Amino acid sequence: MANDRKAQLLSGNEACVRGALAAGVRFFAGYPITPSTEVAEGLAAALPKIGGTFIQMEDEIASMSAVVGASLAGLKAMTATSGPGFSLKQENIGFAAMTEVPCVIVDVQRYGPSTGLPTSPAQGDIMQARWGTHGDHPMIALMPSSVRETFDLTVEAFNLAEELRTPVILLLDEVVGHMRERVELPAPGEVRVVSRVKPSVDPESFLPYEPGPNLVPPMPAFGDGYHFHVTGLVHDESGFPSGRGQDGDRLVRRLHAKIMKRRPAVARAEEWELTDAEIVVVAAGSVARSARAAVREARAQGLKAGLLRPVTAWPFPEDAVRTAAKQAKTIIVAEMNLGQIVREVERIAMGQAEISPLNRLDAELITPAEILKRIQEVAAHVG
């Protein structure tokens, strides 16, 4: 345990592996793809040593199917991929949402549509994380900004998946995934680990989709003695398909409600120097690191700037943005895409603050100097 507390030089992808192991992962299925491959490599080495299973599947569709199956069998399960593979996994992510199968999907974002630039950073999958699969499904997606936070949010991703019986997405960008930092990780006993709730009734009385007080049904593992049917079709509490629209209405509304009921605890943002900020920079992932440096320099120049960093992409931290919009004259939204976070900020701000998008799309990280320049331009404009 003492060695676990020593300072280590880890990449974000390596911290993701450590976080998954700390959370209790016992199954990984995936297909190697840059810039996420180190996650698969790390778990391929680690899982067999602790009785877990690593499988390299023939493609991303099959790997997501295997993850769902392993979770139904009672294991904490995950996969890791990047943009093209994330697209292929979407159908089975929707299946996991509909059938309430806990699992974690890591997407280390890279540049461009299709195969793009495999080793270059971008933040182009934020909307795909929310809307990539079809139908009115709920989604949780977390966006770490540092190596240590990647460890913490990987653990959190598993905890939320198990507690709420839902797929959870961990959205890294290439910079966070490959960046190395000195970190001290908590000892195993210091990590909060959540396990799924098992049924307390006998198998004869068991209804597999009868929700508990938190709207989440208890979940036995295949082989525990509880017989249940799993289908992506609309189903009632028995788990068998139903052709009744009212059953679909009840099911889909509950899938959303079980997450939205926890929204105050799940949706999260980091706020820095916001108390008197007239210019607020909204940035996530690696871009938030540049934004913090820019805000620090702006403050040194006497400009009232602050940083709001969404930690959860979904649910989006609406309350924090709404509060910032009431106070700020201008909100600068910096992101490595053509504008995905900014659409949420505009929707929530409702015209209370001017919105200034700052987008970079040349496969390079937005620099502190670029954000500082925009802060100075905005300050000169608003007076």
Side-chain angles (χ1 to χ4, degrees):
M1 180 178 295
N3 287 336
D4 292 334
R5 296 170 184 262
K6 288 182 178 178
Q8 304 171 68
L9 186 64
L10 296 178
S11 70
N13 284 346
E14 290 169 337
C16 178
V17 172
R18 301 292 185 90
L21 293 170
V25 68
R26 288 297 180 272
F27 184 88
F28 179 98
Y31 187 84
I33 180 169
T34 304
S36 73
T37 301
E38 293 84 1
V39 178
E41 289 177 341
L43 289 169
L47 282 174
K49 297 176 182 176
I50 57 173
T53 299
F54 172 93
I55 303 178
Q56 179 175 321
M57 302 296 291
E58 65 268 34
D59 58 36
E60 287 86 351
I61 300 173
S63 67
M64 193 63 218
S65 300
V67 164
V68 170
S71 183
L72 286 169
L75 298 180
K76 291 187 177 182
M78 73 178 292
T79 187
T81 189
S82 187
F86 194 42
S87 298
L88 291 172
K89 293 179 188 293
Q90 292 297 333
E91 181 177 357
N92 281 323
I93 292 174
F95 180 81
M98 185 66 157
T99 56
E100 301 183 69
V101 176
C103 54
V104 173
I105 303 99
V106 179
D107 174 25
V108 187
Q109 300 169 88
R110 69 186 198 184
Y111 182 90
S114 189
T115 43
L117 293 171
T119 60
S120 298
Q123 295 176 320
D125 300 348
I126 294 171
M127 283 295 172
Q128 188 186 21
R130 178 65 189 91
W131 302 110
T133 192
H134 56 277
D136 289 312
H137 61 282
M139 191 53 65
I140 297 174
L142 313 175
M143 294 189 294
S145 182
S146 69
V147 171
R148 173 56 199 262
E149 191 177 42
T150 300
F151 174 91
D152 293 335
L153 292 187
T154 303
V155 174
E156 184 68 9
F158 275 96
N159 287 346
L160 290 170
E162 295 292 324
E163 182 179 353
L164 297 173
R165 281 192 63 174
T166 190
V168 174
I169 294 167
L170 187 70
L171 269 181
L172 280 65
D173 57 60
E174 185 275 341
V175 174
V176 174
H178 283 161
M179 172 178 62
R180 288 188 176 274
E181 290 184 305
R182 178 187 183 277
V183 294
E184 292 186 22
L185 301 182
E190 298 172 344
V191 176
R192 174 178 173 268
V193 175
V194 174
S195 297
R196 68 191 63 169
V197 174
K198 296 291 186 75
S200 57
V201 300
D202 57 68
E204 288 72 25
S205 306
F206 177 61
L207 286 173
Y209 287 97
E210 182 179 37
N214 60 353
L215 304 181
V216 181
M219 182 179 180
F222 282 178
D224 281 351
Y226 292 83
H227 302 285
F228 59 99
H229 185 75
V230 179
T231 176
L233 292 168
V234 165
H235 46 272
D236 58 21
E237 294 181 351
S238 73
F240 286 99
S242 166
R244 297 182 293 271
Q246 58 268 39
D247 286 337
D249 182 280
R250 187 182 307 113
L251 171 59
V252 174
R253 288 185 188 278
R254 181 178 62 76
L255 295 180
H256 280 266
K258 70 178 182 181
I259 292 175
M260 298 313 291
K261 187 178 179 182
R262 291 286 314 280
R263 183 180 189 127
V266 175
R268 201 180 312 164
E270 179 191 17
E271 300 177 5
W272 189 62
E273 299 283 12
L274 285 187
T275 304
D276 62 344
E278 297 178 348
I279 301 170
V280 174
V281 181
V282 174
S286 59
V287 179
R289 302 167 69 94
S290 295
R292 179 181 286 267
V295 167
R296 183 183 298 113
E297 180 58 29
R299 285 277 171 179
Q301 296 178 12
L303 303 176
K304 293 181 177 180
L307 169 66
L308 193 156
R309 178 174 70 87
V311 176
T312 50
W314 311 110
F316 198 73
E318 295 190 7
D319 291 344
V321 174
R322 192 172 293 113
T323 300
K326 288 178 181 176
Q327 170 187 308
K329 295 179 179 176
T330 301
I331 299 177
I332 298 170
V333 184
E335 49 187 330
M336 290 188 291
N337 54 49
L338 279 178
Q340 300 195 16
I341 294 175
V342 71
R343 295 176 185 174
E344 285 300 294
V345 174
E346 287 173 339
R347 178 181 66 81
I348 296 162
M350 298 180 65
Q352 295 184 90
E354 184 178 345
I355 308 299
S356 177
L358 175 55
N359 310 105
R360 188 159 182 174
L361 205 65
D362 61 352
E364 297 291 340
L365 178 63
I366 300 176
T367 66
E370 289 175 282
I371 299 173
L372 177 62
K373 180 182 178 185
R374 178 63 62 84
I375 293 172
Q376 293 167 332
E377 290 170 349
V378 167
H381 175 69
V382 300

